[in-house]
Amino acid sequence: MRSLLAITLSLHFLPGIASANNQPNILFLFCDDHATQAISAYGGPLAEIAPTPNIDRIAKEGMLFRKCYVTNSICGPSRAVVLTGKYSHLNGFRNNGDTFDGSQQTAPKLLRKAGYQTAIVGKWHLKSVPTGFDHFEVLKGQGQYYNPRLLTNGKIVNHEGYTTDIITDRTLEWLENRDPEKPFFLMSQHKAPHGRWEPAIRHLEWLDEIDVPEPPTLVHDYAGRSKASTQHKMGIADHMGPHRLMLTYSSKFTPEQFAKFDGHYRPRNEAFLAANLEGKDRARWHYQRYIKNYLRCVKAVDENVGRLLAYLDEKGLAGNTVVIYSSDQGFYLGEHGWFDKRWMYEESFRTPLLVRWPGTIDPDTVNDTDIVSNLDFASTFLDIANTEIPDDLQGRSLVPVWKGITPSNWRKTHYYHYYESGGHGVPLHFGVTDGRNKLIRFPEPHLDAWELYDLEADPQEMESRYDDPGMAEVQAKLKEELARLQDTFAVPTE
Ligand code: CA
């Protein structure tokens, strides 16, 4: 397939853009905690209220995946998987307390060797100093929504403004000043829409007058699940705290920013506190406050994706640049009563993946069958660059899938492993899915539980069917598959 592609692309070769045609540019747009439920191309109840036309444009001109699953639904670990193409236990970054070993093999290092200029701008969140990049400009830790400090090739530089805009400004600046003779691999990675959800001043009033529809499972007692879910500390009703509800603020604002930001929230906060809401009324207010701020943060991301796509158009780069949009994991937008991520349940297990590659990916294509993963991204970058994919990567190149010719031996199942125990009350767990049925194991002695779901009959995962005789065959098969995958991926087991 690669030789066919090379022939096709060589027909479009233009002098003066050295090797670019068999080494297209790669623009990797990566967000933090961006749920598919908050991307209108995925449909759903928020699509009309909070459209994302610019992100949707990538899918309209390319392909959208409905079964892109992460290997470990938490920020730093997902980023380490993207860089290395290896599961957490092999790349050494199991949970957010770890420090990424930057001396190991990564996709950016291999791309650099293959002749690419490599850059990362925005969220990094792996503690160690980035390696493998010709240019890095990254937030310190989580970063803040206003006036970010960016570690810029080893030096701290302070910026004034809204972080989502600034990350794009800095991305554009790098693009303007890059070496046009070389292909680029550019990771532009937002903090947004990670909590604590501080919107841009221009979006504070947006959605103010409407009620965002509540998900049907906003109130959920988890009666059909093992007791693992009941131990959560990520409830919209009980665990948001004043900072997530914007009753207090996290960023260090300039006096002008503060006047506008506080000018919006203070009267609304005072009215809320005076009303002394309780029970369901209070939970509903929490939900509205949360979802609106989250969607406002997404709106800034969408606008900034639009700026980057417009730049590619203006500079004649769109045809020879692969654009990938994804997030480090999905997120709960009130489903099951939750915010946050971590669980293997669909909302946080699934992550967005939208890709555009003119001439290679057919426009307006939806892939809702193939199981793909952030584990595949590193192999995919290398394949796009027409360079060798080392044998020790555990994912596979998505390029054939993008072309609509999924190999017959493509994975039919996917392995998941969350290592942290206790963050937001979520216990260590692992499991396997075949895209329809999902088996989850909670091995810790205080739980010692299994869950099994048939997503076709029960898409919200309300009723575990573990040990249900009607599911005996599925259960046995998935258990066998779980063991096989643990063996294949060399996972240390309980
Ligand atoms: Ca995240």
Side-chain angles (χ1 to χ4, degrees):
M1 230 29 247
R2 191 175 294 174
S3 58
L4 253 182
L5 173 70
I7 293 162
T8 314
L9 288 173
S10 68
L11 297 173
H12 300 284
F13 181 81
L14 294 169
I17 46 171
S19 79
N21 281 327
N22 61 16
Q23 289 200 311
N25 304 309
I26 303 168
L27 175 59
F28 183 67
L29 303 171
F30 202 52
C31 272
D32 197 320
D33 296 355
H34 195 177
T36 58
Q37 307 93 291
I39 294 177
S40 45
Y42 279 88
L46 302 175
E48 271 188 38
I49 292 170
T52 50
N54 296 297
I55 298 170
D56 292 4
R57 187 185 156 194
I58 300 170
K60 254 189 214 132
E61 297 172 2
M63 196 176 223
L64 174 147
F65 285 84
R66 290 197 181 276
K67 287 184 181 165
C68 183
Y69 298 133
V70 294
T71 60
N72 182 358
S73 180
I74 184 81
C75 308
S78 172
R79 288 157 200 275
V81 169
V82 169
L83 289 173
T84 62
K86 293 175 186 170
Y87 273 92
S88 306
H89 61 281
L90 292 185
N91 68 43
F93 203 105
R94 286 183 172 81
N95 59 58
N96 277 340
D98 290 330
T99 298
F100 185 69
D101 170 11
S103 71
Q104 68 186 298
Q105 167 185 285
T106 64
K109 286 184 186 174
L110 296 167
L111 289 166
R112 212 173 170 187
K113 261 194 206 158
Y116 274 68
Q117 292 166 89
T118 60
I120 179 165
V121 180
K123 184 112 177 220
W124 168 249
H125 204 212
L126 290 168
K127 279 198 191 155
S128 54
V129 173
T131 55
F133 295 97
D134 296 309
H135 176 87
F136 64 86
E137 202 165 347
V138 296
L139 293 168
K140 291 282 280 174
Q142 290 283 5
Q144 49 178 35
Y145 271 102
Y146 281 82
N147 311 324
R149 292 160 58 97
L150 293 172
L151 180 67
T152 306
N153 301 324
K155 251 179 63 187
I156 291 284
V157 180
N158 294 312
H159 294 269
E160 187 178 314
Y162 191 61
T163 299
T164 306
D165 300 336
I166 287 169
I167 288 170
T168 307
D169 295 344
R170 303 310 305 156
T171 301
L172 289 168
E173 174 89 8
W174 184 82
L175 279 167
E176 254 325 88
N177 293 308
R178 75 188 199 283
D179 175 0
E181 298 300 315
K182 281 183 170 180
F184 64 80
F185 173 70
L186 171 57
M187 305 179 97
S188 183
Q189 311 202 139
H190 289 290
K191 169 192 174 60
H194 190 283
R196 305 142 183 192
W197 306 276
E198 293 177 337
I201 283 159
R202 64 182 181 278
H203 297 138
L204 288 175
E205 307 289 326
W206 180 61
L207 301 173
D208 208 31
E209 299 299 321
I210 64 159
D211 276 334
V212 178
E214 294 170 2
T217 57
L218 184 60
V219 179
H220 185 188
D221 63 7
Y222 318 112
R225 293 179 173 181
S226 78
K227 60 186 178 185
S229 285
T230 61
Q231 304 186 359
H232 78 86
K233 293 190 180 69
M234 49 193 273
I236 285 177
D238 301 321
H239 305 111
M240 294 210 88
H243 51 288
R244 289 196 185 87
L245 291 169
M246 217 54 65
L247 299 172
T248 60
Y249 317 136
S250 301
S251 285
K252 290 193 180 84
F253 296 100
T254 65
E256 295 77 20
Q257 290 165 348
F258 184 82
K260 289 177 182 158
F261 200 87
D262 186 59
H264 174 83
Y265 285 107
R266 183 179 294 267
R268 289 161 178 80
N269 291 346
E270 284 170 357
F272 163 68
L273 294 170
N276 231 342
L277 300 175
E278 284 180 24
K280 277 186 187 163
D281 290 337
R282 189 181 174 96
R284 293 208 156 106
W285 189 93
H286 285 192
Y287 171 72
Q288 292 297 327
R289 174 54 66 94
Y290 160 54
I291 193 69
K292 287 178 187 181
N293 284 340
Y294 181 95
L295 293 172
R296 288 166 182 150
C297 290
V298 167
K299 192 172 175 69
V301 170
D302 186 66
E303 290 172 355
N304 279 288
V305 168
R307 290 175 67 200
L308 285 175
L309 295 180
Y311 179 88
L312 297 180
D313 290 338
E314 278 159 27
K315 300 290 175 178
L317 290 167
N320 195 39
T321 301
V322 182
V323 178
I324 303 167
Y325 187 92
S326 189
S327 168
D328 56 356
Q329 17 57 218
F331 212 66
Y332 296 92
L333 302 182
E335 299 89 359
H336 311 293
W338 291 338
F339 63 94
D340 214 72
K341 54 253 179 179
R342 302 160 195 271
W343 300 98
M344 199 192 167
Y345 306 120
E346 284 297 287
E347 292 84 353
S348 50
F349 179 44
R350 184 178 63 214
T351 202
L353 179 62
L354 303 88
V355 292
R356 183 182 82 174
W357 188 354
T360 298
I361 300 176
D362 286 340
D364 213 5
T365 321
V366 174
N367 186 318
D368 52 12
T369 47
D370 296 318
I371 298 176
V372 301
S373 170
N374 59 345
L375 186 67
D376 300 321
F377 293 177
S379 302
T380 305
F381 301 147
L382 298 171
D383 199 11
I384 294 169
N386 271 300
T387 192
E388 198 187 329
I389 304 170
D391 289 343
D392 61 349
L393 269 63
Q394 296 181 306
R396 292 178 72 173
S397 167
L398 296 172
V399 171
V401 182
W402 290 356
K403 289 179 185 164
I405 38 172
T406 305
S408 57
N409 64 352
W410 193 257
R411 73 169 69 82
K412 302 283 186 284
T413 57
H414 173 72
Y415 181 72
Y416 178 83
H417 204 133
Y418 172 77
Y419 287 89
E420 231 175 276
S421 178
H424 280 288
V426 181
L428 185 156
H429 61 288
F430 53 83
V432 60
T433 181
D434 64 10
R436 170 178 172 175
N437 301 292
K438 188 189 292 181
L439 179 73
I440 312 177
R441 168 74 172 143
F442 298 95
E444 292 173 289
H446 70 288
L447 292 170
D448 187 18
W450 293 89
E451 293 179 9
L452 176 65
Y453 297 97
D454 171 358
L455 276 290
E456 210 167 282
D458 178 21
Q460 318 247 29
E461 299 161 290
M462 302 296 278
E463 208 57 56
S464 170
R465 301 196 48 203
Y466 190 77
D467 275 347
D468 175 338
M471 291 287 278
E473 203 179 317
V474 170
Q475 185 172 311
K477 258 187 162 172
L478 284 183
K479 272 201 175 170
E480 204 176 296
E481 186 60 7
L482 184 71
R484 188 188 73 82
L485 291 175
Q486 287 182 325
D487 187 49
T488 303
F489 294 126
V491 182
T493 48
E494 36 179 318

